[in-house]
Amino acid sequence: MKGTIHVRYEILRSARNPLLLGISWALPLVVFYAVAPEQRHALADCLTAPNGHGMTDCVSFPLYFMTAMAAYGAMWATIAPGARIARDRGKGWIRQLRTTPLRARTEAVAKVLASYLGALPALVLLYLAGVSLGVRLDAAQWFEMTGLLLVGLAPFVAIGIVFGHLVPPDAITVAEAGFVVILALLGGAFGTLFAGGVMLRVVKLLPSYWLVQAGKTAIGSGSWPAEAWIVVGIWTLCSVPLAALAYQHDKARV
Amino acid sequence: MAVVSAETAGIRTTGLTKSYGSVHAVRGIDLVIAPGETVALLGPNGAGKTTTVDIFLGLARPDGGTVFVFGASPTEAVRSGWVGAMLQSGSLPDHLRVRELVTLLASYYPHPRRVDEVLDQTGTADIAGRWTNKLSGGQAQRVRFAAALASNADLLILDEPTAGIDVEGRREIWRAIRAVAERGKTVLFATHYLEEADANADRIVLIARGEIVADGPGSEIKAKVGSRTVKATLPGVELAELRALPGVLGAERHGEAVTLSCSDTDAALGALFGSFPAVRDVEVRGASLEEAFLELTGDEHGDQDAKVEASRPGNEEPG
Ligand SMILES: Nc1ncnc2c1ncn2[C@@H]1O[C@H](COP(=O)(O)OP(=O)(O)OP(=O)(O)O)[C@@H](O)[C@H]1O
Ligand SMILES: [Mg+2]
């Protein structure tokens, strides 16, 4: 099929980026093992109970931190291909591609697949690490959690493409790193910041918050609340057309 | 030159103009290139070659005029895979090997060339396994050429394909380009090297300051300027008298020596000996294409940046 070679090489180029492997796969794993073993039996990510007394919704620390680090690595992995767009643009490669019959659709499919395939190892590695520290979920819960993470990553794929087409090549790394770290921090990937109050309501508007929450599937309350779907849905619905616009803008520039 | 209709023309453009701010990069280009023709776009730095070529590729939008590539818009032609291109500037993407890059480019086209064949023809077979971002300037240029060649497109547009390439490489590249032309493909290449244009194109389109100043085979361009120069020692004769001789286009004096540029040397020599029996040391020289080039692209409007590269210097950086 036409386009398969482009998709294959796009994924290959992604996988050949040692920084991607280091930052999105190895780093979260290292942090997980540095922090989680000591708090093996602790509880984490609790919320203030609705009556205002005590805590609820807690999960085991390894489960919480496993999801948090998996989400952190996956955010990196999904946004990273954007940096390659910026570099290719800087080298005039995007211009060269515009002289070929390569279709925008093929480019989009390749970018999305490369993003997600980069994220999968980050998830799997952290799952294995979690299991090694006693995290136990049944198959349905693993699948559900993975599914939620993949859905929640969609805005990051699109935002990577937006950045790639709009941010200058020499600023792309800083832009992406800043974006991921701030969203991960506010979303609670390095420890929950807010157990209640107005700030909790604010961070609940971020897709990164719901990525970290995907682990809650383990405690029966199951999947995301409607609020999570709405937040992630809105982020996706806004960022995907933005990515298309950024691509078009780059293409139209003469 | 054959008369070609818009439908069958490889490229047909009328009244093409393009400005960047106050710079008039292209000002009114009319050009018809027949399918199968090999055309050189020859001109000094800043003449508007790249701008013209970018418009043909749909990379730049003209301010005015029309462009058809095989009867379609440049964008449609590119989308249909009818056009393969090598741009003047740009480097190669990272995390790919040479063979992979050529394979990738070939994969975009409906009827690509065999990658091995292309690597052989462009002298890149021995670097096929190297990373594309770790090549020398000339190697990278060869790979960019290989990528364009792999398209096997009906129209090949090459913007200074041999810039920065060594003698052996240039020979390989021109051989490959002529092979493409022999298979009936249309080739348009930009260059500011005269020998390249003369040796490898059916037709030279000479452009200066955004306009076509001459269009035809190399020999025709030479004829246009005066095919030959006659030098002689002839004191005490008015230049106006010499200019009035049949076959003479112009005359200059350096001390006792005069130089006549002639459209018809036979007529000029006959008249010279007939009218001025005192003439001595007569010498006939063919005007080189370089002289024609300099004359045609010369500094008519006091344009400071219309510098001319009359002969090929050593190796140059592409860009
Ligand atoms: N993007 C741009 N912005 C502003 N001016 C430009 C741009 N591109 C080209 N120009 C100007 O347009 C004119 C024609 O440039 P062009 O690149 O077409 O010349 P060229 O014939 O390809 O020259 P060279 O032999 O140096 O490659 C030049 O004066 C150049 O400075
Ligand atoms: Mg140029």
Side-chain angles (χ1 to χ4, degrees), chain A residues 1-10 12-19 83-84 87-107 247 251-254, chain B residues 18 20 50 54 57-61 78-87 89-97 99-101 103-112 131 133 144 147-148:
Chain A
M1 198 200 89
K2 213 84 212 134
T4 49
I5 293 183
H6 176 80
V7 174
R8 201 169 75 216
Y9 280 134
E10 187 71 35
L12 195 65
R13 290 183 66 200
S14 220
R16 281 172 177 171
N17 186 348
L19 216 63
R84 204 172 52 247
R87 278 203 310 279
D88 283 353
R89 191 159 48 90
K91 290 173 167 233
W93 185 244
I94 302 265
R95 235 174 112 74
Q96 177 71 49
L97 286 184
R98 279 165 49 193
T99 70
T100 73
L102 174 64
R103 295 294 143 107
R105 196 170 358 102
T106 312
E107 275 189 90
Y247 173 85
K251 206 176 167 90
R253 197 157 44 192
V254 289
Chain B
K18 171 86 184 168
Y20 296 102
T50 298
D54 281 355
L57 289 169
L59 291 175
R61 204 175 297 124
V78 164
R79 278 177 63 89
S80 307
W82 299 338
V83 187
M86 174 179 182
L87 304 178
S89 56
S91 49
L92 300 167
D94 44 19
H95 303 309
L96 276 180
R97 295 180 192 279
R99 174 190 299 279
E100 292 169 345
L101 181 91
T103 308
L104 179 63
L105 262 294
S107 78
Y108 299 146
Y109 288 84
H111 311 288
W131 294 111
N133 57 346
R144 285 171 2 93

Side-chain angles (χ1 to χ4, degrees), chain B residues 50 88 159-160:
Chain B
T50 298
Q88 180 175 11
D159 197 349
E160 297 191 21

Side-chain angles (χ1 to χ4, degrees), chain A residues 82 85 157-167 239-244 246-247:
Chain A
I85 299 178
V157 178
I159 287 164
I161 294 173
V162 173
F163 278 21
H165 285 294
L166 299 184
V167 178
S239 57
V240 169
L242 216 58
Y247 173 85

Side-chain angles (χ1 to χ4, degrees), chain B residues 20 23 25 44-51 88 160 192:
Chain B
Y20 296 102
V23 180
N45 288 141
K49 303 182 296 294
T50 298
T51 307
Q88 180 175 11
E160 297 191 21
H192 38 241

